[in-house]
Each structure stands twice: as structure tokens, then as C-alpha cells.
């Protein structure tokens, strides 16, 4: 996409909303009037991965500019929970604790009860374990299951402590 594409005027502020192509991908922003102070910053937000900059409408742009969205206040800690879109995708934030959301659409749909349920689960770090492709049986030495999993670099066999990569020709 070359240049700006106007989406329309924000009815709340009277400012024009445009789609631009930036260094980190397409985004929506509002155009400030020429007489605005130099310290004034326009609201802007990155487009979701599922959005096309050539077909985005004004209402979608305004939804993006409304982020971060206040989901509610945690009754136990009295901290605000917000739904946001970040560098690594959609997430919830409560104080300094953040949790990932599954889809970008959840940013606008998630309720306080659902957010509290996500925070009630223990926090996971790093990658989630791959689902087992096949169970080979129990190792009699360590008395643990030996399974085949699909990993970052292809299929591998693991007993829970030791991993062995399979060759591409292995079935």
C-alpha cells in the first residue's frame, strides 16, 4: 500500500482517520489539525494480522483506536484488567502480570469473569509442550512413557528428560 488511505471522520473527535503503511506494518491513526500543539500525539494502532489495509472500514479503525480496552477491576486486588494488542499478539494486563489471549477478536469480546478465569490458571513460560503424535510404550528403566512429538526442528522421541531427534526419512 502506497501513501495514506482515508477511512472517514471520527464522530467523537471530528478528526480524520487514515490507514498508513509503517516500518512495522500497516496501522490506523488520526490526523491532527495543523493548529494543534507540537506536544500532541495522535492515537494510532497496528492492524490485526487478519485485517487487510485496502479493505478496512472506519468502524474497524475506530475499534482499534479505542485500545487498550478496560475489561474490569479484579475484586481481590482492586487492579484494573485491560485487553490490549502488543508486539507478540493479544494479551490481558493486570498490574505487572500479563497473560496471552488465544485470538485477536477476544480483545473486544472477553468478559471480566473470563479474564479472572485466565488469571486463576498458573502462568506458563515459554513454548507449550507439543501434543504427542504417538505413544511408543513405557521405558522399564525410568518407568516413564516414551512418546513421539512434533517440535520446532521436526519430529523427536522423548521420555520426559532426554530428547532424540528423528531423521527426515524416519517414519
Amino acid at each position: 500500500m502506497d501513501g495514506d488511505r482515508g477511512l472517514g471522520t471520527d464522530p467523537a473527535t471530528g478528526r480524520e482517520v487514515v490507514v498508513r503503511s509503517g516500518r512495522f506494518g500497516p496501522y490506523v491513526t488520526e490526523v491532527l489539525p495543523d493548529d494543534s500543539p507540537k506536544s500532541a500525539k495522535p492515537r494510532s494502532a497496528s492492524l490485526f494480522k487478519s485485517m487487510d489495509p485496502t479493505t478496512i472500514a472506519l468502524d474497524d479503525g475506530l475499534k482499534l483506536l479505542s485500545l487498550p480496552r478496560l475489561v474490569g477491576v479484579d475484586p481481590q486486588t482492586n487492579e484494573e484488567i485491560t485487553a490490549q494488542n502488543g508486539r507478540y499478539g493479544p494479551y490481558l494486563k493486570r498490574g505487572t502480570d500479563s497473560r496471552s489471549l488465544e485470538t485477536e477478536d477476544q480483545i473486544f469480546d472477553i468478559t471480566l469473569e473470563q479474564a479472572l478465569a485466565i488469571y486463576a490458571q498458573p502462568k506458563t513460560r515459554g513454548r507449550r509442550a507439543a501434543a504427542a503424535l504417538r505413544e511408543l510404550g513405557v521405558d522399564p528403566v525410568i518407568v516413564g512413557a516414551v512418546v513421539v512429538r512434533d517440535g520446532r526442528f521436526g519430529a523427536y522421541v522423548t521420555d520426559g528428560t532426554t530428547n532424540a531427534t528423528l531423521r527426515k526419512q524416519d517414519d
Side-chain angles (χ1 to χ4, degrees):
M1 183 177 117
D2 295 331
D4 298 350
R5 182 168 88 68
L7 299 178
T9 304
D10 182 355
T13 63
R15 295 178 180 157
E16 184 183 3
V17 178
V18 297
V19 177
R20 293 182 173 157
S21 182
R23 187 168 136 197
F24 302 108
Y27 66 100
V28 292
T29 187
E30 60 185 2
V31 178
L32 296 178
D34 293 334
D35 61 346
S36 62
K38 295 282 185 194
S39 62
K41 299 277 187 214
R43 295 180 300 161
S44 62
S46 295
L47 266 60
F48 292 162
K49 290 179 178 79
S50 59
M51 294 179 167
D52 183 13
T54 59
T55 60
I56 187 172
L58 176 63
D59 58 333
D60 295 327
L62 292 175
K63 280 174 72 173
L64 290 172
L65 290 176
S66 71
L67 293 176
R69 180 178 78 89
L70 178 65
V71 176
V73 177
D74 187 339
Q76 293 178 342
T77 63
N78 287 335
E79 291 180 313
E80 291 183 345
I81 299 175
T82 58
Q84 311 182 42
N85 192 28
R87 182 177 185 180
Y88 302 109
Y91 67 98
L92 292 173
K93 187 166 182 76
R94 177 183 69 187
T96 58
D97 191 7
S98 61
R99 304 290 172 99
S100 294
L101 293 172
E102 297 294 324
T103 64
E104 293 169 331
D105 294 330
Q106 282 183 300
I107 293 174
F108 301 110
D109 301 336
I110 195 161
T111 64
L112 179 60
E113 291 76 25
Q114 293 169 332
L116 292 174
I118 290 173
Y119 277 107
Q121 299 171 0
K123 191 168 186 173
T124 58
R125 293 189 52 87
R127 298 182 188 273
R128 293 189 176 110
L133 296 175
R134 182 173 171 203
E135 292 196 23
L136 301 176
V138 177
D139 183 355
V141 176
I142 64 160
V143 190
V146 178
V147 294
V148 178
R149 296 186 185 271
D150 190 23
R152 183 174 170 192
F153 302 108
Y156 66 97
V157 178
T158 183
D159 62 2
T161 55
T162 305
N163 298 339
T165 305
L166 296 175
R167 297 175 299 189
K168 288 186 181 184
Q169 63 266 25
D170 291 338
D171 185 25

